[in-house]
Amino acid sequence: MPIYEYICDDCRTHYERIVMSASQEIDCPKCASKRHTLQLSVFSAGKSANGSSSSSAASDSGGCCCTPNSCGCN
């Protein structure tokens, strides 16, 4: 079950929802509006017990799966 991030088109509140099905109605927790924009989620590489990145590829490229300097995250 994916967790999606939204921003309300009416009151601009940011919120997350677990989506069980494509037909599920999503409403804003602040104003109850059903008008929203799906946001792009950012994820990070996991850390091991000693605090280092769990994969060397993630640490070599700054945790991003892009090539260095191609997406602006470096």
Side-chain angles (χ1 to χ4, degrees):
M1 293 175 278
I3 298 176
Y4 290 104
E5 295 180 31
Y6 298 95
I7 185 168
C8 178
D9 293 340
D10 294 328
C11 72
R12 309 306 291 168
T13 297
H14 293 259
Y15 56 96
E16 298 176 347
R17 290 288 181 267
I18 295 175
V19 179
M20 303 289 198
S21 72
S23 62
Q24 179 179 339
E25 288 194 22
I26 307 297
D27 56 347
C28 174
K30 184 174 181 183
C31 72
S33 172
K34 296 195 183 326
R35 295 181 45 210
H36 56 261
T37 303
L38 183 64
Q39 300 294 292
L40 294 176
S41 296
V42 178
F43 62 92
S44 64
K47 299 285 182 180
S48 66
N50 65 7
S52 64
S53 292
S54 61
S55 77
S56 60
S59 63
D60 292 344
S61 63
C64 178
C65 61
C66 302
T67 57
N69 301 321
S70 68
C71 71
C73 63
N74 292 345

